[in-house]
Amino acid sequence: MATRSIFSSNPTMAQRRIAALKQFVPSFTQSLLSLACVALLCLTYLSLRSLSPSNASTPFHRSMSFSNASTPQDVEDTKTTISSSIYHYPEVFLRNYGAMERDFKVYIYPDGDPKTYYQTPRKLTGKYCSEGYFFQNIRESHFRTDDPDQADLFFVPVSPHKMRGMGTSYENMTIIVREYVSGLIQKYPYWNRTLGADHFFVACQDVGVRAFEGLEMMIKNSIRVVCSPSYNVGYVPHKDVALPQILQPFALPAGGNDIENRTILGFWAGHRNSKIRVILARVWENDTELAISNNRINRATGPLVYQRRFYSTKFCICPGGSQVNSARIMDSIHYGCIPVILSDYYDLPFNDILDWSKFSLILKEKDVYQLKDILKSVSHEQFVVLHKNLVEVQKNFEWHSPPIPYDTFHMTMYELWLRHHVIRY
């Protein structure tokens, strides 16, 4: 007898199998969809976590662990002095700052006659005093170590500003620096480990940069802490450090909650020693809403007239002079006048820590022709926020002796601390 198909011999069983198969397909499809949804949720969670502020970092932070940088209580106590509105990454900054305070060490070469231009600063006053303050602060700070084997960085303590004050010519400066550094290289083994990459020097006056021009390997490899950080003429932002040019002592107290007194839209007075300053004076010196002078304010008009003008002005124009930098920027911050940066190729001090857009206006030099319209486009509400942030950031642009937390010295040390992590030997 021919064997009959199972479907014909047992129609009931076939129907049950077909029904079971119909039930299995949607169940299997639903399972696949469920798994896909779970995977999508996991990927979304991981993506959001990677974008959270607590994990945000700059290139200098990516390879570092901060789990033990500071205790939660330390971070909580310090939050009263840190505002998320003026720092790029406030939480990361807090952790890094705590690690720097605890671990960072700098060795100062002891060689050189301290009665000349080694070890000791020229003076702690005037518009180039940042160089002198750093020399003094580093000696007073706990960052200094007498054990070079424990050092993270090495400070070459020669002061070009003091050389200049003693009447040393540019040519002799170069020779003096070259011979001094050559002597350190021969006497100590530390330079040759990195060809000077873990060494730094400090110079506020532009002659300081020129004083080191006789050492090409130092310009290329070492960290330059300078007040003239123009990145179109050899300054390297990720290697070098912009030092604020601060004229201390300030003649008058810091500006504060005085918005109602600021009735002048914009102010500038100074030497016309650059193209942008000449244009600024020519275009705006006769404007009725902008107090723009084509020269410095004559002291014969009265005591501290220049400084008092900052108190009554909303925006203080800060054009580049013979260099991109100017002490006028730090004057503006101190007196509570919103600085208007009008200087191209200027790597602003602490730019990778502080968000300058939150307490200043940063313009291109070509914007000078629209200056008045730009200033008037800032609403009162926006100005209030800028002014509030400006007052908060004042502490970061002040020198003290001995240094205090978050002042200019500590901010500069923080920049150096960031850079030492990219050096390996």
Side-chain angles (χ1 to χ4, degrees), residues 46-165:
L46 291 174
S47 300
L48 290 174
R49 186 178 179 184
S50 67
L51 295 173
S52 66
S54 61
N55 289 323
S57 62
T58 66
F60 291 115
H61 302 131
R62 286 175 186 152
S63 62
M64 296 183 287
S65 173
F66 308 114
S67 59
N68 297 317
S70 54
T71 66
Q73 188 58 47
D74 290 336
V75 174
E76 194 64 34
D77 292 343
T78 315
K79 281 183 179 179
T80 57
T81 63
I82 300 298
S83 169
S84 60
S85 61
I86 61 173
Y87 294 89
H88 289 298
Y89 307 105
E91 293 183 6
V92 173
F93 175 64
L94 280 174
R95 297 191 186 101
N96 287 0
Y97 189 93
M100 175 200 71
E101 286 278 17
R102 186 190 63 231
D103 301 328
F104 193 33
K105 295 299 177 185
V106 172
Y107 180 74
I108 306 175
Y109 284 107
D111 302 75
D113 182 1
K115 294 182 180 180
T116 55
Y117 25 75
Y118 303 104
Q119 313 297 336
T120 55
R122 175 181 174 185
K123 59 181 181 178
L124 301 182
T125 58
K127 62 181 180 179
Y128 301 119
C129 72
S130 289
E131 184 176 314
Y133 264 107
F134 186 91
F135 270 69
Q136 180 152 315
N137 283 177
I138 190 68
R139 292 202 315 268
E140 298 172 334
S141 75
H142 67 279
F143 298 113
R144 181 178 182 176
T145 178
D146 293 327
D147 183 358
D149 293 325
Q150 300 297 319
D152 299 297
L153 291 180
F154 294 79
F155 177 38
V156 180
V158 55
S159 175
H161 186 212
K162 194 166 186 177
M163 286 188 197
R164 186 61 175 165

Side-chain angles (χ1 to χ4, degrees), residues 6 31 45 74 165 205 231-232 312 348 360:
I6 188 174
S31 299
Y45 169 76
D74 290 336
Q205 201 172 16
Y231 55 81
N232 67 328
S312 57
L348 291 162
S360 70

Side-chain angles (χ1 to χ4, degrees), residues 379-397:
S379 67
H380 177 73
E381 291 74 18
Q382 292 171 325
F383 174 75
V384 169
V385 173
L386 287 170
H387 182 73
K388 175 181 175 294
N389 292 337
L390 186 70
V391 173
E392 183 173 351
V393 84
Q394 287 173 343
K395 64 179 180 293
N396 302 129
F397 295 99

Side-chain angles (χ1 to χ4, degrees), residues 237 350 371:
F350 318 138
L371 178 63

Side-chain angles (χ1 to χ4, degrees), residues 15 30 119 138 166 244 250 273 296 369:
Q15 290 173 356
Q30 289 176 353
Q119 313 297 336
I138 190 68
M166 298 177 67
F250 293 108
N273 56 349
R296 299 183 67 180
Y369 300 100

Side-chain angles (χ1 to χ4, degrees), residues 200-385:
F200 70 93
F201 67 88
V202 177
C204 191
Q205 201 172 16
D206 60 321
V207 299
V209 177
R210 298 179 62 178
F212 287 86
E213 288 179 347
L215 284 166
E216 184 178 1
M217 60 180 174
M218 197 165 190
I219 296 297
K220 288 184 176 180
N221 297 337
S222 300
I223 302 170
R224 297 191 293 171
V225 184
V226 295
C227 287
S228 303
S230 179
Y231 55 81
N232 67 328
V233 290
Y235 174 87
V236 183
H238 64 270
K239 175 180 76 72
D240 301 327
V241 175
L243 185 68
Q245 183 179 357
I246 305 175
L247 200 165
Q248 283 191 219
F250 293 108
L252 295 170
N257 300 319
D258 51 6
I259 292 177
E260 66 281 357
N261 298 327
R262 300 183 178 276
T263 57
I264 301 174
L265 179 61
F267 164 63
W268 176 79
H271 289 309
R272 292 180 294 171
N273 56 349
S274 67
K275 180 179 179 181
I276 184 59
R277 292 188 177 191
V278 171
I279 296 174
L280 176 66
R282 186 183 71 238
V283 174
W284 298 109
E285 65 176 323
N286 295 319
D287 191 89
T288 58
E289 294 181 271
L290 297 175
I292 305 297
S293 173
N294 64 0
N295 212 326
R296 299 183 67 180
I297 294 178
N298 194 330
R299 295 181 180 179
T301 59
L304 303 176
V305 173
Y306 173 78
Q307 289 83 356
R308 295 183 189 281
R309 189 67 63 86
F310 284 89
Y311 285 136
S312 57
T313 307
K314 296 176 66 176
F315 299 98
C316 288
I317 319 303
C318 302
S322 56
Q323 301 292 323
V324 294
N325 55 293
S326 169
R328 182 176 287 100
I329 298 176
M330 307 311 153
D331 283 344
S332 301
I333 293 174
H334 174 76
Y335 293 116
C337 183
I338 307 300
V340 180
I341 314 299
L342 201 60
S343 182
D344 293 344
Y345 309 112
Y346 185 9
D347 186 48
L348 291 162
F350 318 138
N351 197 31
D352 51 353
I353 309 170
L354 301 172
D355 186 348
W356 277 76
S357 67
K358 299 299 178 59
F359 56 89
S360 70
L361 299 184
I362 304 173
L363 310 180
K364 297 291 186 182
E365 290 184 2
K366 64 181 181 180
D367 295 329
V368 64
Y369 300 100
Q370 290 79 42
L371 178 63
K372 184 175 176 179
D373 290 338
I374 293 173
L375 299 185
K376 296 190 75 171
S377 69
V378 179
S379 67
H380 177 73
E381 291 74 18
Q382 292 171 325
F383 174 75
V384 169
V385 173

Side-chain angles (χ1 to χ4, degrees), residues 7 11-26:
F7 296 107
T12 304
M13 182 180 296
Q15 290 173 356
R16 285 201 301 269
R17 289 184 178 182
I18 292 173
L21 185 62
K22 288 181 179 180
Q23 292 176 355
F24 172 75
V25 171

